[in-house]
Amino acid sequence: DKHPPIRRPADLGKHQFISYVDDLAFSSELLYLANALPGASANLRSTSVIAQFVAAQQGRSLAILPCFLAAQDPRLLPVLPEEIDITRQFWMYCREDLRKLKRITLLWDYIREVTERNQGLLMGQTREMQFAD
């Protein structure tokens, strides 16, 4: 509320962001800011998405956050959701010899089930999390 309104992507240049530390990001896929909004500046940087989430909650900066994290907090609102879309993939992997263990199979299947149930949350289409039985 204390900052200029955001009506189009060009307005984002008047705002500060929190982002990842470029040299410490474990994947270049996490460097959303430079790719999604060229010219945007980050006044805060952290290797932790939780730190970025908390900074956004406190109104310190705008942040590009995962839907499944940000949607759970009514204090956070999407900015230009029809104009800016960032989609990433998550992969599960496990050593083949461990994948055959019953405890690993159970966890693997549970994670898949919960992920499938929450596709809407993961894709930013809903704010509600579905839990597995």
Side-chain angles (χ1 to χ4, degrees), residues 100-117:
K100 296 173 186 174
L101 295 174
K102 182 70 172 174
R103 67 180 186 269
I104 300 297
T105 301
L106 287 170
L107 178 61
W108 186 282
D109 293 345
Y110 176 79
I111 291 171
R112 282 196 68 154
E113 180 184 350
V114 170
T115 301
E116 288 170 5
R117 283 186 184 207

Side-chain angles (χ1 to χ4, degrees), residues 20-133:
Y20 285 93
V21 179
D22 292 354
D23 293 340
L24 298 177
F26 68 86
S27 169
S28 62
E29 292 292 312
L30 293 174
L31 304 177
Y32 320 109
L33 190 57
N35 296 330
L37 305 167
S41 63
N43 62 333
L44 296 170
R45 293 189 179 271
S46 175
T47 56
S48 165
V49 71
I50 300 301
Q52 295 174 33
F53 174 67
V54 171
Q57 284 178 316
Q58 295 175 354
R60 296 183 184 273
S61 294
L62 295 176
I64 298 174
L65 298 169
C67 298
F68 60 85
L69 182 62
Q72 301 301 307
D73 192 324
R75 296 172 291 180
L76 298 176
L77 300 172
V79 175
L80 304 175
E82 302 300 321
E83 296 180 50
I84 298 172
D85 182 39
I86 299 171
T87 303
R88 293 293 185 260
Q89 296 178 1
F90 289 89
W91 291 78
M92 287 196 307
Y93 65 94
C94 180
R95 284 189 359 219
E96 191 172 335
D97 60 323
L98 294 178
R99 178 69 176 96
K100 296 173 186 174
L101 295 174
K102 182 70 172 174
R103 67 180 186 269
I104 300 297
T105 301
L106 287 170
L107 178 61
W108 186 282
D109 293 345
Y110 176 79
I111 291 171
R112 282 196 68 154
E113 180 184 350
V114 170
T115 301
E116 288 170 5
R117 283 186 184 207
N118 286 287
Q119 185 174 359
L121 177 66
L122 295 168
M123 297 301 293
Q125 299 160 347
T126 183
R127 295 182 89 126
E128 295 181 29
M129 183 179 291
Q130 303 293 319
F131 294 93
D133 300 329

